[in-house]
Amino acid sequence: MDLGITGKTALVMSAGGGLGGAIALALAREGVKVAVSDRSEEALARTVAQIRDAGGVASGYVADLGRLETLDELVASVTRDLGAPDILVNNTGGPAPSGASGVPAQTWRTQFDAMVLSVMHLTDLVLPAMRSKGWGRIVTSTSSGVIAPIANLGVSNALRTALLGWSKTLANEVAADGVCVNVVLPGRIGTDRIRALDEARASRESRPLDTVVAQSIATIPVGRYGMPEEYGDTVAFLASARASFINGSVIRVDGGMIPSI
């Protein structure tokens, strides 16, 4: 299937590896010019090299989602180098494990800036060009915790949930301009982040890591963790011309793990 996005420009955040890296690779395979951003210059270099080795077009940009002023500079640089983004993939790192109570106020403020306000501000920066062209895609990656809160991820559960209401509201505002806005929820995808969470749980509960992983897999109907490539392909489709009637939706990529309808 031709996704109809060859030659488009995409900006993918937190793309130094994990889900962001997989998304960037999936878009590049569809002929998209990919701007990848991350805090780590070394991680960015790896993603850019992977894309270029596969014959794709990519440029790397160091930016800190916790510092809004760097996002203005980021969008200006991408627009200069590759053209104004037609596709924005909002993807942020996750906070350290914690409960919902007893979290210092400054932690809430810092994480809100990095996980929520940065997404809103970055989207506002790219929307004018999308609306003027009559075409755009905003895809925001969050967490299964926004539907079924995950134990010991209180900050993530709370802050990522805010993005659902924002995304749905925005989708209604810009749909008539040819811009589609959607949210994607990863279940347990085999990334370094998931391994770190499994290791933290094993340590917290004084149990072997293999036991914790097996218990987690037992909650997934397909019987395994997802592959980053599977998540990346889903986002690439939502970012495509073929997905022009998918708007204001929340798409689960979880192997059936989330128990609710």
Side-chain angles (χ1 to χ4, degrees):
M1 178 185 294
D2 180 5
L3 296 186
I5 48 177
T6 298
K8 299 285 190 185
T9 297
L11 172 56
V12 183
M13 302 305 294
S14 299
L19 297 181
I23 293 166
L25 284 164
L27 289 169
R29 292 191 191 102
E30 297 301 323
V32 175
K33 298 176 291 183
V34 184
V36 294
S37 181
D38 201 279
R39 287 185 300 177
S40 169
E41 189 170 358
E42 182 180 353
L44 277 178
R46 287 196 296 268
T47 300
V48 169
Q50 284 181 301
I51 292 173
R52 290 177 178 173
D53 288 346
V57 176
S59 295
Y61 303 84
V62 176
D64 185 347
L65 287 166
R67 297 176 56 217
L68 296 186
E69 66 274 14
T70 69
L71 302 182
D72 293 74
E73 298 167 5
L74 169 64
V75 172
S77 296
V78 172
T79 301
R80 180 192 65 233
D81 298 341
L82 300 175
D86 304 288
I87 298 162
L88 171 64
V89 180
N90 289 312
N91 178 48
T92 69
S98 74
S101 64
V103 178
Q106 187 56 50
T107 298
W108 285 110
R109 292 190 184 102
T110 299
Q111 293 299 332
F112 178 82
D113 284 354
M115 298 173 59
V116 181
L117 189 56
S118 62
V119 168
M120 297 173 177
H121 180 64
L122 185 58
T123 301
D124 281 345
L125 291 173
V126 303
L127 268 175
M130 291 182 180
R131 299 176 88 170
S132 69
K133 289 184 287 189
W135 200 98
R137 300 288 184 267
I138 308 292
V139 183
T140 301
S141 178
T142 57
S143 163
S144 63
V146 303
I147 293 180
I150 302 169
N152 206 43
L153 286 182
V155 174
S156 177
N157 295 336
L159 296 185
R160 294 191 194 278
T161 300
L163 292 171
L164 294 187
W166 165 80
S167 183
K168 180 63 174 178
T169 306
L170 180 65
N172 292 339
E173 292 177 359
V174 301
D177 297 317
V179 180
C180 296
V181 184
N182 293 289
V183 170
V184 186
L185 309 181
R188 299 193 71 79
I189 311 293
T191 62
D192 290 342
R193 166 73 172 171
I194 290 298
R195 180 171 181 82
L197 292 175
D198 285 342
E199 289 173 346
R201 181 182 176 190
S203 176
R204 187 172 67 250
E205 298 176 358
S206 300
R207 295 197 295 156
L209 177 60
D210 289 349
T211 301
V212 168
V213 172
Q215 183 179 10
S216 181
I217 290 176
T219 68
I220 305 172
V222 300
R224 61 175 175 84
Y225 282 178
M227 295 182 290
E229 294 82 1
E230 293 171 311
Y231 194 75
D233 288 343
T234 301
V235 174
F237 179 76
L238 286 175
S240 76
R242 298 286 186 176
S244 58
F245 206 59
I246 302 175
N247 186 52
S249 294
V250 178
I251 308 298
R252 308 176 187 195
V253 187
D254 68 338
M257 178 190 75
I258 299 172
S260 64
I261 295 175

